[in-house]
Amino acid sequence: MIRLALIYLAIVVVIAGIFTGAPWVFLGRGSEAVTLLPDGPKPLAVLRGDGQAASAADRLLDSLPEAAGAAVPAPVLRPEGAGLEQTTATILRDLALLKAGDPEQVALQRMSSGAIEALNGLRGQAAAPVTLEGLVAQALREGQTDAYIDALVNEAAGAGRISVPEGLMTAGGKVDTAVLLAALLREAQAAARNTPAQVAPPPEATAQGQTYIVREGDSLGAIALHFYGSMALYPVILKANADRLAGPDRLTRGQELRIPALGAP
Amino acid sequence: MGLGICATAANAEGNRLTVDLAGVQLSVNGQRYDIARSADPQARLSGDFAKVARQCPPFCLQPMQALPGVQTLGELELLAFMQGPLTTGEGALIDARLPDWFDKGSIPSAVNVPFTTLAPANPFRNDILVALGARPLGGAAFDFSAALDLVVFCNGAWSDQALRALTALREAGYPAEKLRYYRGGMQDWVMLGLTQSAPAGGSGG
């Protein structure tokens, strides 16, 4: 779904600036209709893609935890404070869907990728995307499916080859690519409209906030996207639950989380 | 000295590194590097490395000992490292300067890992540790026992960038015995007329 939506946005961008058009814009395979996620909070099940028909890529994904085995460590996490919004911005810049960016972050990303590629080159490893952002951007350029991207990212993260923002770790110990792709789409739409992504206030929020019971597959990013309309706001939930969450990657199924109303102290 | 084994006749004009050593050849993952010393009697420093007045801060003088347990190297020890761990795939030569400096010329076979990328503020810092050979144990924990031996340098004794890179690596858990400091950096490398990895562009002799 996201690939077609992003391709649609890419085409809009390319038409708008035809002379600087990027040569990588691929037309999607298959006959799926272009679908844009409607604005506003989504049930987490939608963000997770629950209920989608199982494809070969889904079955591949399902087989990963078993194939990975117990010897594989938990994914490498980013240093504390690494923001999810940086992740989406980096991918969208890579896809030429976003032009501007925090120059310091852009430079760090470019220098880091260059350093990793050069170090891998010492070992004779072929040039390939070396970060979460690079993997996702390349897969989107190739027109891969959501399920493929999920399998790809979780395979690389499970093998410890890429680091992952802690807010994207699910209660099941996997990388929440569904919420990442949903956020990408949101930010891409906002960028195409030339406006900052709208953070919609949660309709059900009260001054006292509310509670949420963590389910399998939830990540803090997904919960923040659901309640606040932006996964970048997950630190609000993290802070409100500091007494019961050791870290953003420590969600457990059945855990009760406080969801403070935005703007509340 | 032990370096003579790879002495090269390429520098036939007559200059040598030492009495025993004309030059050094090395091969890193199929890429060949020749390191020789300028034989041009007219060669003078020019450009960036001819400058002598640099204001501290930020251009403060650096200690001979970077950090406890981190060995400091001169040029011959660096060349021995390049022919040893670097050639066998167990080491890396790290240019800790920013890319605009690296692009103007570096030590042949050096990899640019700018000091800013090793600070915890970089979201990709842990990805770099993995690329340096640290084995991920999950989260922010790493086993460094198979990590590369590193020699870190910058522009030399008037720049703190190598020291900042070494400090960041130590704070990330990189063992001191796997780290070395080439204090002379590009300033000394260029001043000694040694081969650079890119056209000197007026910065060398």
Side-chain angles (χ1 to χ4, degrees):
Chain A
M1 183 163 68
I2 183 161
R3 69 196 166 96
L4 287 173
L6 282 174
I7 287 162
Y8 168 77
L9 285 163
I11 291 168
V12 171
V13 168
V14 168
I15 290 170
I18 193 78
F19 295 107
T20 57
W24 44 261
V25 176
F26 289 79
L27 292 174
R29 308 162 314 209
S31 56
E32 293 169 66
V34 171
T35 315
L36 298 178
L37 278 176
D39 288 336
K42 247 73 76 228
L44 266 61
V46 171
L47 296 176
R48 282 198 301 266
D50 292 2
Q52 283 178 355
S55 65
D58 284 324
R59 287 196 295 276
L60 169 67
L61 170 64
D62 289 342
S63 70
L64 278 178
E66 287 76 30
V72 174
V76 178
L77 293 180
R78 301 243 161 124
E80 211 173 313
L84 290 174
E85 65 276 25
Q86 292 167 9
T87 298
T88 51
T90 300
I91 295 169
L92 293 177
R93 272 197 305 272
D94 197 335
L95 296 171
L97 289 170
L98 194 65
K99 289 186 177 65
D102 176 358
E104 198 176 322
Q105 289 300 327
V106 174
L108 269 180
Q109 193 270 333
R110 189 173 298 140
M111 290 188 296
S112 300
S113 294
I116 297 164
E117 275 170 37
L119 287 168
N120 289 345
L122 288 180
R123 297 198 195 82
Q125 289 171 12
V130 289
T131 60
L132 168 67
E133 288 82 350
L135 274 182
V136 172
Q138 187 183 54
L140 288 171
R141 272 199 295 273
E142 291 169 352
Q144 304 288 359
T145 63
D146 295 14
Y148 175 91
I149 293 171
D150 193 45
L152 181 76
V153 166
N154 273 289
E155 198 272 334
R161 289 202 306 275
I162 56 169
S163 75
V164 180
E166 46 193 10
L168 281 184
M169 291 307 299
T170 70
K174 291 173 66 177
V175 185
D176 195 343
T177 59
V179 74
L180 175 61
L181 293 175
L184 274 176
L185 188 50
R186 248 184 135 75
E187 302 291 329
Q189 287 175 303
R193 287 194 303 262
N194 243 339
T195 53
Q198 194 113 37
V199 179
E204 60 269 70
T206 66
Q208 282 74 43
Q210 52 191 318
T211 58
Y212 176 76
I213 308 292
V214 175
R215 294 188 301 157
E216 183 78 21
D218 285 351
S219 66
L220 269 188
I223 297 169
L225 186 62
H226 172 66
F227 285 103
Y228 299 148
S230 166
M231 66 176 190
L233 290 175
Y234 81 87
V236 175
I237 302 172
L238 183 63
K239 194 177 168 200
N241 295 277
D243 56 329
R244 60 189 81 178
L245 268 181
D249 60 320
R250 298 299 167 84
L251 288 181
T252 49
R253 190 170 51 183
Q255 195 171 29
E256 188 179 292
L257 295 180
R258 289 187 210 100
I259 312 292
L262 279 185
Chain B
M1 185 101 288
L3 288 174
I5 43 168
C6 282
T8 167
N11 203 22
E13 308 89 73
N15 207 353
R16 307 177 69 81
L17 302 180
T18 71
V19 171
D20 301 324
L21 186 63
V24 167
Q25 283 182 353
L26 50 129
S27 174
V28 180
N29 186 40
Q31 174 85 40
R32 212 185 96 157
Y33 301 97
D34 285 318
I35 296 170
R37 198 167 157 216
S38 173
D40 175 4
Q42 303 306 318
R44 297 286 183 276
L45 284 180
S46 63
D48 294 324
F49 296 109
K51 187 172 175 178
V52 290
R54 284 189 173 84
Q55 189 66 34
C56 167
F59 301 112
C60 303
L61 302 187
Q62 301 304 307
M64 183 56 82
Q65 177 85 44
L67 294 168
V70 174
Q71 202 187 341
T72 301
L73 306 187
E75 289 72 27
L76 295 178
E77 295 83 5
L78 171 56
L79 290 168
F81 174 87
M82 291 161 80
Q83 291 187 305
L86 184 60
T87 300
T88 58
E90 295 158 301
L93 177 57
I94 304 294
D95 186 336
R97 300 174 300 164
L98 295 172
D100 54 338
W101 279 94
F102 179 78
D103 292 343
K104 283 194 267 186
S106 185
I107 298 177
S109 78
V111 170
N112 191 204
V113 184
F115 69 102
T116 51
T117 64
L118 295 169
N122 179 18
F124 306 100
R125 199 273 309 271
N126 290 347
D127 295 89
I128 294 176
L129 294 181
V130 171
L132 288 169
R135 193 169 67 84
L137 300 174
F142 294 94
D143 169 12
F144 288 94
S145 57
L148 296 173
D149 285 335
L150 305 181
V151 175
V152 181
F153 69 94
C154 58
N155 268 334
W158 48 264
S159 170
D160 66 351
Q161 296 183 345
L163 201 88
R164 288 165 74 161
L166 286 164
T167 303
L169 284 165
R170 285 291 291 128
E171 285 171 1
Y174 222 96
E177 64 270 20
K178 285 183 175 289
L179 299 173
R180 291 159 184 76
Y181 175 39
Y182 172 43
R183 180 175 180 269
M186 281 316 287
Q187 178 73 60
D188 284 9
W189 189 264
V190 168
M191 185 269 291
L192 293 170
L194 294 165
T195 309
Q196 291 186 65
S197 65
S203 59

